[in-house]
């Protein structure tokens, strides 16, 4: 079974600064997807960024980028120019591309605080 | 973009009663929907996978008779918490994937906060 680990329960960053959230995962599969989701106080799950394991290039979405290290099974999220609206719980998630069902396995989450 | 509507957003019920939560895909057909449970400041834990026209697949430790799932159409899945107890109080979230698009992202509902008194 796949597992996802986020070792930082809480992180804080100053507005306009950069912060990196860590995520590691364990799998025996070679084809899979990795995601970062944001959950603000509204509890809505918002997809931040997605990475296909077969792609070597790191995904980027505006101020959000990932550092995907497949061999190390690491998938960190970098938020540049942090904004107050970035404050939320962030979840790293894994999804197999080899089996049907597309279930997501989530990490424990990292609560990000953005200080003005 | 694809929208998943979850209803109700909040519900308070008395212990021993049953509560139904609906999850609808508004602008796409979903052969598979997922039901998650989230306790405060914790992660989302998959409860069951709901497949249209067939029985749901439950995760280990989830009581099938307590959490009844029905996926009767390509746009609607329901989760019924039967004989609810205070320990069932939690945040329940559904997600859905468009039919025929295995690699498409999952879309989440806004969740339902259940409080059992």
């Amino acid at each position: 079974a796949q597992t996802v680990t986020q070792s930082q329960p809480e992180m804080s960053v100053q507005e306009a600064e950069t912060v990196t959230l860590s995520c590691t995962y364990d799998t025996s599969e070679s084809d899979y997807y990795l995601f970062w989701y944001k959950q603000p106080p509204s509890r809505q799950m918002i997809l931040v960024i997605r990475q296909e394991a077969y792609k070597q290039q790191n995904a980027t979405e505006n101020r959000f980028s990932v550092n995907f290290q497949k061999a190390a099974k690491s998938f960190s999220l970098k938020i540049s120019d942090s904004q107050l609206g970035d404050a939320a719980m962030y979840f790293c998630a894994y999804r197999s591309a080899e089996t049907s069902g597309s279930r997501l396995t989530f990490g424990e989450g990292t609560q990000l605080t953005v200080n003005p | 973009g694809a929208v998943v509507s979850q209803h109700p957003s909040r519900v308070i019920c008395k212990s021993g009663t049953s509560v139904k939560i609906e999850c609808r895909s508004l602008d796409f057909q979903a052969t598979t929907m997922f039901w998650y449970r989230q306790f405060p400041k914790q992660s989302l834990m998959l409860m069951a996978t709901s497949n249209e026209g067939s029985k749901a697949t439950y995760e280990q430790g989830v009581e099938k008779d307590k959490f009844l799932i029905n996926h009767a159409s390509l746009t609607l899945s329901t989760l019924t918490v039967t004989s609810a107890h205070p320990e069932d109080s939690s945040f329940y979230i559904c997600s859905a994937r468009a039919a025929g698009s295995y690699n498409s992202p999952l879309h989440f509902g806004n969740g339902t906060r259940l409080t059992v008194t």
Side-chain angles (χ1 to χ4, degrees):
Chain A
Q2 296 82 25
T3 59
V4 179
T5 302
Q6 293 177 248
S7 59
Q8 307 155 315
E10 298 178 345
M11 289 285 284
S12 63
V13 63
Q14 289 296 126
E15 193 175 4
E17 297 296 311
T18 296
V19 65
T20 299
L21 308 184
S22 301
C23 173
T24 58
Y25 58 95
D26 188 25
T27 184
S28 59
E29 299 176 334
S30 59
D31 196 12
Y32 49 86
Y33 303 94
L34 296 166
F35 306 84
W36 278 98
Y37 281 89
K38 168 185 178 181
Q39 188 181 42
S42 67
R43 307 294 288 271
Q44 173 69 45
M45 294 294 287
I46 301 168
L47 177 63
V48 174
I49 200 164
R50 156 187 165 139
Q51 174 82 41
E52 289 88 350
Y54 63 86
K55 290 186 177 179
Q56 292 186 338
Q57 187 173 6
N58 289 324
T60 62
E61 287 288 341
N62 300 315
R63 298 183 295 106
F64 299 87
S65 62
V66 298
N67 183 0
F68 172 48
Q69 301 291 326
K70 191 172 184 179
K73 296 179 181 175
S74 170
F75 182 61
S76 61
L77 174 70
K78 186 171 80 171
I79 306 175
S80 303
D81 186 26
S82 297
Q83 300 176 0
L84 295 178
D86 295 334
M89 179 73 86
Y90 285 81
F91 292 102
C92 178
Y94 172 103
R95 190 182 101 190
S96 171
E98 297 180 2
T99 59
S100 63
S102 299
R103 55 184 292 172
L104 280 173
T105 300
F106 289 92
E108 304 90 336
T110 297
Q111 181 67 52
L112 177 66
T113 300
V114 181
N115 300 309
Chain B
V3 177
V4 174
S5 173
Q6 191 171 337
H7 179 81
S9 57
R10 293 173 182 264
V11 59
I12 301 173
C13 71
K14 292 186 177 180
S15 186
T17 62
S18 296
V19 174
K20 180 183 286 187
I21 302 170
E22 293 187 347
C23 181
R24 293 180 183 272
S25 55
L26 296 185
D27 52 359
F28 66 97
Q29 294 183 326
T31 51
T32 304
M33 292 185 175
F34 302 89
W35 288 95
Y36 290 86
R37 182 174 182 174
Q38 185 180 30
F39 290 107
K41 297 188 178 182
Q42 293 189 22
S43 186
L44 282 74
M45 300 301 298
L46 181 65
M47 298 176 65
T49 302
S50 169
N51 300 296
E52 187 269 335
S54 63
K55 292 183 178 180
T57 302
Y58 289 81
E59 295 301 302
Q60 190 174 9
V62 178
E63 299 176 58
K64 301 179 182 181
D65 294 333
K66 180 165 188 63
F67 299 99
L68 300 179
I69 291 174
N70 185 293
H71 194 158
S73 77
L74 285 172
T75 59
L76 174 65
S77 176
T78 60
L79 167 66
T80 301
V81 183
T82 63
S83 187
H85 290 113
E87 56 266 31
D88 298 325
S89 298
S90 188
F91 192 70
Y92 294 87
I93 308 176
C94 71
S95 68
R97 175 172 55 84
S101 56
Y102 176 70
N103 294 328
S104 67
L106 292 174
H107 305 283
F108 285 85
N110 286 340
T112 297
R113 183 181 302 279
L114 170 63
T115 302
V116 184
T117 61

